[in-house]
Amino acid sequence: MILLDGKKTSADIKEEIALEVASLKQQEKKSPHLAAIIVGNDGASLTYVNAKVKACERVGFESTLIRLPETTTEEELLNEIAVLNVDKDINGFIVQLPLPDHIDEQKILMAIAPEKDVDGFHPMNVGKLALNLPTFISATPYGILELLERYQIETSGKDVVVIGRSHIVGSPMSILLAQKRTVGNATVTLTHSRTKNLAEITKKADIIVAALGIPEFLKGAMVKDDVVIIDVGITRVADASKKRGFRLVGDVAFDEVKDKASHITPVPGGVGPMTIAMLLKNTLLAYYRQNEH
Ligand code: GUN
């Protein structure tokens, strides 16, 4: 069994990006600049956003973190977005999700200029993804494509089963892997909570992407030998033996599945670390698109 090491792969990607930024600086060009807006004080969200800002610094990007109070109105947030949309110094920005209940998430995502939407959540970018047109592929599916490519896992003609139909992972993943692209050309089955006889379907899969958010859902008996497993789950499960009071658990029963799998992503250290690297890659892409004239 080969571990698909997201920690190392993401470090490689960040190193590649850092080299590109160094070369831009050498040519006396501006550095790519990512901004992030966060509303409220949710601990996990703050951790994520701070990690994104730190990653920017590591590769030589400029970064701006905009922290707004929990009581921010939808209109105030829309105003912040309108400012970033026209700020020539900002190449890309994200609004960290989830947002407080009094703010309409869809309205916010639709207000982001598509050419700066490095999360790839704007309907225009999702539509372009579905049509296999140049876009921003959102970080998690993009990270999975990158892991499969760098570990030279063949997807063409393979039976892929995606578990979970979320807008952020399952749905785009199923679309991308079926497309005519380097990592693609697969026969994809998208499964979800209403799927009948799921184990019969997963047992036939060459590659399984588990993205349903239920800890240790995919058991050893549900997979065939030599399967490739991509585990997208990261649920915090209470664990008094840990200093933080919890441990991170994937959607795959790792100990049962690992000996049957040819390749498997660990949790943590698999898909998770890839997402920040891909956000940086999208920011670099936004920068190049905005500076190619
Ligand atoms: N919350 C959890 N993941 C993400 C992400 O990729 N982007 C944003 N904006 N919010 C998130």
Side-chain angles (χ1 to χ4, degrees):
M1 179 272 292
I2 295 171
L3 270 184
L4 299 171
D5 187 343
K7 210 169 155 186
K8 171 166 188 312
T9 308
S10 70
D12 291 347
I13 294 168
K14 283 187 244 177
E15 182 62 34
E16 291 159 17
I17 295 172
L19 287 172
E20 281 197 52
V21 176
S23 149
L24 289 170
K25 285 187 178 160
Q26 221 164 28
Q27 299 165 58
E28 299 189 345
K29 293 196 173 137
K30 276 201 298 198
S31 301
H33 189 160
L34 175 73
I37 303 179
I38 181 161
V39 183
N41 301 302
D42 177 67
S45 290
L46 278 168
T47 307
Y48 281 135
V49 169
N50 284 328
K52 291 172 185 177
V53 169
K54 210 180 221 167
C56 283
E57 287 165 12
R58 292 238 176 88
V59 298
F61 283 7
E62 300 290 330
S63 64
T64 299
L65 177 60
I66 300 169
R67 281 198 66 176
L68 301 175
E70 183 80 26
T71 51
T72 303
T73 65
E74 193 173 273
E75 195 186 349
E76 286 166 335
L77 181 53
L78 287 169
N79 286 337
E80 292 285 342
I81 290 169
V83 170
L84 294 177
N85 279 345
V86 296
D87 185 336
K88 292 262 184 290
D89 284 335
I90 304 285
N91 302 110
F93 67 97
I94 64 163
V95 177
Q96 187 66 23
L97 305 177
L99 289 165
D101 288 342
H102 64 275
I103 298 179
D104 180 345
E105 199 168 284
Q106 205 51 42
K107 201 165 167 186
I108 296 304
L109 296 179
M110 284 182 66
I112 298 172
E115 67 276 14
K116 294 193 179 185
D117 171 38
V118 286
D119 259 334
F121 291 165
H122 190 289
M124 165 100 80
N125 285 325
V126 178
K128 285 182 174 176
L129 179 139
L131 295 170
N132 201 358
L133 294 171
T135 182
F136 296 108
I137 302 175
S138 52
T140 308
Y142 194 8
I144 293 168
L145 292 183
E146 197 76 19
L147 267 181
L148 292 170
E149 182 168 5
R150 289 182 186 238
Y151 278 88
Q152 297 179 347
I153 291 167
E154 183 62 81
T155 55
S156 182
K158 300 292 179 182
D159 289 321
V160 174
V161 172
V162 177
I163 313 173
R165 56 182 159 184
S166 73
H167 292 165
I168 299 186
V169 188
S171 170
M173 202 69 253
S174 66
I175 294 169
L176 289 160
L177 286 170
Q179 283 174 344
K180 205 178 269 188
R181 51 168 67 240
T182 312
V183 180
N185 298 307
T187 306
V188 181
T189 306
L190 178 59
T191 67
H192 47 75
S193 52
R194 306 285 174 90
T195 298
K196 284 186 274 181
N197 306 322
L198 179 67
E200 274 173 35
I201 299 170
T202 54
K203 254 191 267 183
K204 292 193 184 127
D206 301 309
I207 301 171
I208 299 175
V209 179
L212 70 162
I214 301 178
E216 300 185 332
F217 176 85
L218 190 76
K219 310 289 185 205
M222 295 169 75
V223 306
K224 70 175 181 185
D225 283 336
D226 295 326
V227 65
V228 175
I229 301 283
I230 306 292
D231 187 351
V232 184
I234 40 164
T235 306
R236 290 181 173 193
V237 172
D239 186 341
S241 73
K242 302 278 179 200
K243 214 162 62 186
R244 300 186 290 186
F246 65 87
R247 67 195 154 91
L248 296 173
V249 180
D251 289 349
V252 177
F254 186 87
D255 287 336
E256 289 181 22
V257 172
K258 71 174 196 305
D259 296 324
K260 292 178 96 172
S262 70
H263 299 76
I264 185 167
T265 58
V267 175
V271 174
M274 293 296 291
T275 60
I276 291 183
M278 304 326 286
L279 175 67
L280 298 177
K281 232 175 137 95
N282 274 342
T283 305
L284 188 61
L285 184 62
Y287 172 92
Y288 283 133
R289 285 181 185 161
Q290 288 157 29
N291 289 288
E292 67 192 353
H293 311 295

